[in-house]
Amino acid sequence: MPATIDLTDPSARPAPSSKAVQANAQTLDGKPTLIGMSREEMVAAMADAGVPEKQRKMRVNQIWHWLYVRGSSDFADMHTISRELRENLAARYTIARPEIVEEQISNDGTRKWLMRFPPRGAGRPVEVETVYIPEEGRGTLCISSQVGCTLTCTFCHTGTQKLVRNLTAEEILSQLLVARDRLGDFPHKDTPQGAIVPSEGRKVTNIVMMGMGEPLYNFDHVKQALLIASDGDGLALSRRRITLSTSGVVPGIVRTGEEIGVMLAISLHAVRDELRDELVPINKKYPLKELLEACRTYPGVSNARRITFEYVMLKGVNDSLSDAKELVRLLKGIPAKINLIPFNPWPGSAYECSDWETIETFADFVNANGYASPIRTPRGRDILAACGQLKSESERMRKKDRDELENMALQAMMISGHGAD
Ligand code: SAH
Ligand code: SF4
């Protein structure tokens, strides 16, 4: 059973040559969007647009193909549909992409997009970050489900920000569509010159719901977006390549297995209720016993479909050998992977990242107990980078670039290696 410390070599991560681009100035213009609608909702939209009943399903199939196979963001592209209907649809609905406020590209191929969505009751437009990590043979996209979070995990920066609002199914899905646009991951769209992407096949092969927010507190929208992302006649991502990460909303875990069927990651971070109550306060509502029971009985869980347990390494808090022993004991019988994440400090955070030797001792113990997997080298330097201590090599870098580099390295660690290859 794999325990990954999935580190990417920071020497391969020079200062990000980040450049801001005004890639797409479109905003959604107040019309309802077809993006993110279920087929049934789209059939109703066809009825509103005056499409005769007998044709509605066929039209929905055509539009579905244009939106999700071809990546169309303009009704004018849809030449299999009559001009009259295209114009009629365009007068009532939109399929435009959100505005991309900023696109950053690191020299190692990591990309970040800052997207702006309309207020939708939040008072002002909201901005959401989506990150793409290319690795050998796969490209993983990290998607957000909420702006802010209602939960208050003490080590998490998002936890200090109040929930602004849930993202809609359209907004969750748009993060994937924008990434595929920008990577040339639709037929007839070009991959930007020099982009680092998997050498064959799709550019976005895996998605992880590990951005901002608790996806299981926005269940319906997340479900709808993921069902569309995995729809075989559209975006067609295998459910084994989609990983949903939760802090442990037990009723939502059961529903995820039954209604969405994607891979599960649990933000565990502590192996005793007393400490987990503090680090991940939702533990007071759904304590470890209930959480692990939900994992044990997660529909479809097997050695081929393991649950990932994320464990952030906090110096002197949860990183002792006795914690490692308890972790192994707790996970007994659950097909599991362990992802040790070096803590990423943020201004005002009360924790420090564990020392490298401590992380290594912890990792060695879980590896020795059957959670083995190759650990990428050179690890020590990676860890230093990720813990915000990359100094000597990057002393000459501007602080902003260094912070950005460290952030990207950490995000890569969290995001990479999830779901099937
Ligand atoms: N709300 C969901 C998904 C988003 S967080 C969840 O909690 O699972 C994605 C992962 O990043 C979680 O495992 C979270 O615990 C971890 N994380 C949050 N802040 C971190 C930090 N400062 N350093 C390292 N990992 C962090
Ligand atoms: Fe952060 Fe996830 Fe906790 Fe929310 S649930 S505060 S996003 S770790």
Side-chain angles (χ1 to χ4, degrees):
M1 293 195 254
T4 30
I5 302 190
D6 230 340
L7 309 181
T8 328
D9 179 0
S11 60
R13 293 179 177 272
S17 59
S18 37
K19 54 178 182 227
V21 290
Q22 285 293 323
N24 181 346
Q26 285 170 317
T27 47
L28 297 183
D29 45 16
K31 292 180 211 158
T33 174
L34 296 184
I35 305 281
M37 276 189 185
S38 64
R39 287 168 191 276
E40 295 70 38
E41 288 166 339
M42 236 190 244
V43 166
M46 293 304 116
D48 284 347
V51 175
E53 196 178 343
K54 277 190 177 157
Q55 290 182 17
R56 286 176 202 156
K57 264 196 154 164
M58 182 263 291
R59 294 294 180 214
V60 167
N61 287 342
Q62 287 175 318
I63 294 172
W64 199 270
H65 180 87
W66 279 107
L67 294 181
Y68 299 128
V69 176
R70 307 286 284 259
S72 186
S73 56
D74 187 342
F75 288 108
D77 296 344
M78 302 184 175
H79 58 71
T80 53
I81 297 174
S82 72
R83 178 192 288 259
E84 195 193 340
L85 178 54
R86 275 187 265 155
E87 286 174 357
N88 190 359
L89 289 171
R92 289 161 185 269
Y93 298 103
T94 181
I95 52 172
R97 299 282 191 258
E99 181 185 350
I100 302 176
V101 181
E102 195 180 1
E103 178 177 63
Q104 292 183 327
I105 306 166
S106 159
N107 290 357
D108 74 349
T110 303
R111 283 169 189 249
K112 267 197 207 187
W113 297 277
L114 190 64
M115 299 178 202
R116 184 174 292 148
F117 295 108
R120 302 211 161 110
R124 58 189 160 80
V126 295
E127 290 182 351
V128 171
E129 198 178 78
T130 304
V131 183
Y132 174 73
I133 308 280
E135 292 171 276
E136 189 65 38
R138 63 156 82 192
T140 305
L141 192 70
C142 177
I143 292 181
S144 295
S145 56
Q146 300 182 310
V147 182
C149 188
T150 50
L151 301 176
T152 52
C153 305
T154 46
F155 55 88
C156 174
H157 196 207
T158 310
T160 64
Q161 299 161 27
K162 284 210 174 89
L163 177 74
V164 177
R165 68 171 176 82
N166 281 336
L167 293 177
T168 63
E170 172 230 345
E171 291 163 338
I172 295 166
L173 209 52
S174 287
Q175 297 173 60
L176 173 60
L177 298 176
V178 163
R180 292 192 62 182
D181 281 345
R182 302 294 303 157
L183 293 163
D185 200 18
F186 282 117
H188 313 298
K189 290 202 178 151
D190 293 329
T191 303
Q193 270 225 322
I196 300 176
V197 290
S199 52
E200 283 175 9
R202 289 172 170 230
K203 318 288 183 277
V204 179
T205 59
N206 293 56
I207 57 183
V208 293
M209 297 299 300
M210 288 190 184
M212 245 194 213
E214 169 49 59
L216 297 186
Y217 275 170
N218 185 15
F219 187 86
D220 292 338
H221 291 147
V222 167
K223 172 182 168 181
Q224 180 135 326
L226 295 184
L227 290 183
I228 295 172
S230 57
D231 183 286
D233 294 322
L235 292 158
L237 268 170
S238 154
R239 286 167 201 200
R240 298 193 53 202
R241 290 175 176 270
I242 301 176
T243 302
L244 183 148
S245 174
T246 177
S247 55
V249 184
V250 167
I253 293 175
V254 178
R255 287 189 67 193
T256 301
E258 285 169 356
E259 299 174 35
I260 323 181
V262 292
M263 307 289 277
L264 190 64
I266 303 286
S267 294
L268 192 66
H269 308 317
V271 289
R272 293 176 186 87
D273 279 320
E274 206 190 354
L275 180 61
R276 196 162 189 273
D277 283 352
E278 188 187 314
L279 299 180
V280 188
I282 202 185
N283 193 68
K284 292 184 202 145
K285 201 164 177 190
Y286 307 112
L288 280 168
K289 193 164 178 290
E290 280 178 44
L291 174 61
L292 293 169
E293 191 50 32
C295 293
R296 215 163 257 125
T297 54
Y298 186 68
V301 70
S302 67
N303 276 340
R305 292 173 70 109
R306 290 166 208 259
I307 295 174
T308 303
F309 289 88
E310 293 161 279
Y311 197 94
V312 63
M313 297 299 289
L314 303 170
K315 189 176 197 164
V317 175
N318 65 354
D319 60 355
S320 71
L321 197 54
S322 82
D323 289 306
K325 284 183 185 158
E326 185 59 13
L327 178 61
V328 167
R329 199 189 67 79
L330 273 186
L331 299 189
K332 210 161 180 213
I334 304 176
K337 290 191 257 191
I338 298 167
N339 196 20
L340 300 178
I341 313 172
F343 171 62
N344 188 26
W346 36 274
S349 60
Y351 303 102
E352 282 177 68
C353 181
S354 309
D355 301 326
W356 169 245
E357 295 82 65
T358 312
I359 298 180
E360 198 169 45
T361 310
F362 199 105
D364 286 348
F365 183 84
V366 293
N367 282 343
N369 280 275
Y371 297 90
S373 93
I375 296 176
R376 291 186 200 161
T377 52
R379 298 182 296 177
R381 282 161 72 213
D382 287 340
I383 287 290
L384 287 176
C387 294
Q389 293 154 11
L390 185 76
K391 285 282 180 304
S392 55
E393 273 180 86
S394 58
E395 210 115 49
R396 276 157 285 139
M397 277 183 208
R398 285 186 306 132
K399 176 152 180 8
K400 189 169 166 289
D401 286 341
R402 200 167 61 216
D403 288 349
E404 186 59 32
L405 170 67
E406 288 166 2
N407 249 317
M408 282 202 184
L410 183 100
Q411 274 172 323
M413 271 179 263
M414 255 166 45
I415 296 166
S416 57
H418 290 279
D421 284 323

